[in-house]
PDB file of all heavy atoms in Angstrom:
ATOM      1  N   GLY A 636      60.689 111.238  76.870  1.00 55.00           N
ATOM      2  CA  GLY A 636      59.916 110.025  76.763  1.00 55.00           C
ATOM      3  C   GLY A 636      58.490 110.180  77.322  1.00 55.00           C
ATOM      4  O   GLY A 636      58.060 111.338  77.648  1.00 55.00           O
ATOM      5  N   GLY A 639      56.453 112.435  80.673  1.00 52.00           N
ATOM      6  CA  GLY A 639      57.301 113.519  81.072  1.00 52.00           C
ATOM      7  C   GLY A 639      58.694 113.158  81.466  1.00 52.00           C
ATOM      8  O   GLY A 639      59.440 113.988  81.934  1.00 52.00           O
ATOM      9  N   ALA A 654      83.332 104.262  71.537  1.00 93.00           N
ATOM     10  CA  ALA A 654      84.662 103.942  70.982  1.00 93.00           C
ATOM     11  C   ALA A 654      85.488 103.146  72.062  1.00 93.00           C
ATOM     12  O   ALA A 654      86.185 102.236  71.674  1.00 93.00           O
ATOM     13  CB  ALA A 654      85.365 105.261  70.636  1.00 93.00           C
ATOM     14  N   ILE A 667      92.258  86.995  73.632  1.00 90.00           N
ATOM     15  CA  ILE A 667      91.851  85.623  73.707  1.00 90.00           C
ATOM     16  C   ILE A 667      92.618  84.790  72.661  1.00 90.00           C
ATOM     17  O   ILE A 667      92.928  83.602  72.906  1.00 90.00           O
ATOM     18  CB  ILE A 667      90.336  85.476  73.507  1.00 90.00           C
ATOM     19  CG1 ILE A 667      89.635  86.099  74.705  1.00 90.00           C
ATOM     20  CG2 ILE A 667      89.898  84.061  73.226  1.00 90.00           C
ATOM     21  CD1 ILE A 667      88.096  86.139  74.520  1.00 90.00           C
ATOM     22  N   THR A 669      95.676  85.260  71.649  1.00 84.00           N
ATOM     23  CA  THR A 669      97.059  85.370  71.945  1.00 84.00           C
ATOM     24  C   THR A 669      97.567  84.293  72.871  1.00 84.00           C
ATOM     25  O   THR A 669      96.831  83.957  73.853  1.00 84.00           O
ATOM     26  CB  THR A 669      97.375  86.763  72.509  1.00 84.00           C
ATOM     27  OG1 THR A 669      97.037  87.788  71.605  1.00 84.00           O
ATOM     28  CG2 THR A 669      98.886  86.869  72.834  1.00 84.00           C
ATOM     29  N   ASP A 678      88.158  83.097  64.300  1.00 87.00           N
ATOM     30  CA  ASP A 678      87.831  81.822  64.956  1.00 87.00           C
ATOM     31  C   ASP A 678      87.455  82.054  66.404  1.00 87.00           C
ATOM     32  O   ASP A 678      86.581  81.262  66.929  1.00 87.00           O
ATOM     33  CB  ASP A 678      89.083  80.905  64.888  1.00 87.00           C
ATOM     34  CG  ASP A 678      89.339  80.373  63.479  1.00 87.00           C
ATOM     35  OD1 ASP A 678      88.375  80.479  62.619  1.00 87.00           O
ATOM     36  OD2 ASP A 678      90.418  79.858  63.184  1.00 87.00           O
ATOM     37  N   ASP A 688      85.622  74.281  67.118  1.00 81.00           N
ATOM     38  CA  ASP A 688      85.826  72.822  67.369  1.00 81.00           C
ATOM     39  C   ASP A 688      86.130  72.681  68.855  1.00 81.00           C
ATOM     40  O   ASP A 688      86.195  73.597  69.646  1.00 81.00           O
ATOM     41  CB  ASP A 688      86.939  72.302  66.525  1.00 81.00           C
ATOM     42  CG  ASP A 688      88.321  73.082  66.731  1.00 81.00           C
ATOM     43  OD1 ASP A 688      88.642  73.365  67.873  1.00 81.00           O
ATOM     44  OD2 ASP A 688      89.027  73.367  65.708  1.00 81.00           O
ATOM     45  N   LEU A 719      85.210 107.944  91.306  1.00 90.00           N
ATOM     46  CA  LEU A 719      84.450 108.240  92.521  1.00 90.00           C
ATOM     47  C   LEU A 719      85.394 108.975  93.539  1.00 90.00           C
ATOM     48  O   LEU A 719      84.996 110.021  94.152  1.00 90.00           O
ATOM     49  CB  LEU A 719      83.857 107.039  93.132  1.00 90.00           C
ATOM     50  CG  LEU A 719      82.699 106.366  92.406  1.00 90.00           C
ATOM     51  CD1 LEU A 719      82.283 105.071  93.026  1.00 90.00           C
ATOM     52  CD2 LEU A 719      81.470 107.298  92.313  1.00 90.00           C
ATOM     53  N   LEU A 736      94.151 102.594  99.586  1.00 86.00           N
ATOM     54  CA  LEU A 736      93.181 101.491  99.552  1.00 86.00           C
ATOM     55  C   LEU A 736      93.787 100.248  98.951  1.00 86.00           C
ATOM     56  O   LEU A 736      93.508  99.110  99.508  1.00 86.00           O
ATOM     57  CB  LEU A 736      91.953 101.912  98.719  1.00 86.00           C
ATOM     58  CG  LEU A 736      90.802 102.609  99.504  1.00 86.00           C
ATOM     59  CD1 LEU A 736      90.248 101.688 100.574  1.00 86.00           C
ATOM     60  CD2 LEU A 736      91.148 103.887 100.058  1.00 86.00           C
ATOM     61  N   GLY A 765      90.791  93.801 104.269  1.00 89.00           N
ATOM     62  CA  GLY A 765      91.864  94.826 104.407  1.00 89.00           C
ATOM     63  C   GLY A 765      91.513  96.168 103.763  1.00 89.00           C
ATOM     64  O   GLY A 765      91.714  97.214 104.263  1.00 89.00           O
ATOM     65  N   ALA A 772      89.306 103.431 108.241  1.00 88.00           N
ATOM     66  CA  ALA A 772      90.268 104.184 108.986  1.00 88.00           C
ATOM     67  C   ALA A 772      90.521 105.562 108.394  1.00 88.00           C
ATOM     68  O   ALA A 772      90.622 106.571 109.084  1.00 88.00           O
ATOM     69  CB  ALA A 772      91.613 103.442 109.110  1.00 88.00           C
ATOM     70  N   ILE A 773      90.660 105.631 107.011  1.00 86.00           N
ATOM     71  CA  ILE A 773      90.821 106.959 106.347  1.00 86.00           C
ATOM     72  C   ILE A 773      89.681 107.829 106.599  1.00 86.00           C
ATOM     73  O   ILE A 773      89.853 109.045 106.835  1.00 86.00           O
ATOM     74  CB  ILE A 773      91.057 106.649 104.868  1.00 86.00           C
ATOM     75  CG1 ILE A 773      92.362 105.972 104.648  1.00 86.00           C
ATOM     76  CG2 ILE A 773      91.025 107.969 104.095  1.00 86.00           C
ATOM     77  CD1 ILE A 773      92.584 105.452 103.186  1.00 86.00           C
ATOM     78  N   LEU A 787      91.265 114.445 103.070  1.00 78.00           N
ATOM     79  CA  LEU A 787      91.109 113.061 102.693  1.00 78.00           C
ATOM     80  C   LEU A 787      92.412 112.510 101.967  1.00 78.00           C
ATOM     81  O   LEU A 787      92.906 111.530 102.298  1.00 78.00           O
ATOM     82  CB  LEU A 787      89.953 112.811 101.746  1.00 78.00           C
ATOM     83  CG  LEU A 787      89.573 111.393 101.314  1.00 78.00           C
ATOM     84  CD1 LEU A 787      89.141 110.577 102.450  1.00 78.00           C
ATOM     85  CD2 LEU A 787      88.563 111.430 100.171  1.00 78.00           C
ATOM     86  N   MET A 879      81.861 106.766  98.772  1.00 86.00           N
ATOM     87  CA  MET A 879      83.164 106.265  99.276  1.00 86.00           C
ATOM     88  C   MET A 879      83.068 104.827  99.595  1.00 86.00           C
ATOM     89  O   MET A 879      84.025 104.088  99.287  1.00 86.00           O
ATOM     90  CB  MET A 879      83.527 107.096 100.500  1.00 86.00           C
ATOM     91  CG  MET A 879      84.004 108.458 100.236  1.00 86.00           C
ATOM     92  SD  MET A 879      84.654 109.370 101.681  1.00 86.00           S
ATOM     93  CE  MET A 879      86.032 108.239 102.088  1.00 86.00           C
ATOM     94  N   LEU A 940      93.250  98.102  80.881  1.00 94.00           N
ATOM     95  CA  LEU A 940      93.823  96.942  81.505  1.00 94.00           C
ATOM     96  C   LEU A 940      93.964  95.816  80.571  1.00 94.00           C
ATOM     97  O   LEU A 940      94.986  95.098  80.524  1.00 94.00           O
ATOM     98  CB  LEU A 940      92.920  96.479  82.698  1.00 94.00           C
ATOM     99  CG  LEU A 940      93.556  95.459  83.601  1.00 94.00           C
ATOM    100  CD1 LEU A 940      94.925  95.905  84.122  1.00 94.00           C
ATOM    101  CD2 LEU A 940      92.649  95.116  84.788  1.00 94.00           C
ATOM    102  N   LEU A 970     101.806 109.847  86.078  1.00 77.00           N
ATOM    103  CA  LEU A 970     101.692 110.610  87.371  1.00 77.00           C
ATOM    104  C   LEU A 970     102.757 111.719  87.354  1.00 77.00           C
ATOM    105  O   LEU A 970     102.446 112.830  87.803  1.00 77.00           O
ATOM    106  CB  LEU A 970     102.001 109.623  88.471  1.00 77.00           C
ATOM    107  CG  LEU A 970     102.005 110.269  89.895  1.00 77.00           C
ATOM    108  CD1 LEU A 970     100.700 110.940  90.213  1.00 77.00           C
ATOM    109  CD2 LEU A 970     102.379 109.217  90.907  1.00 77.00           C
TER     110      LEU A 970
END
Side-chain angles (χ1 to χ4, degrees):
I667 290 175
T669 299
D678 290 344
D688 59 41
L719 291 172
L736 269 301
I773 293 172
L787 181 69
M879 287 186 63
L940 193 55
L970 178 60

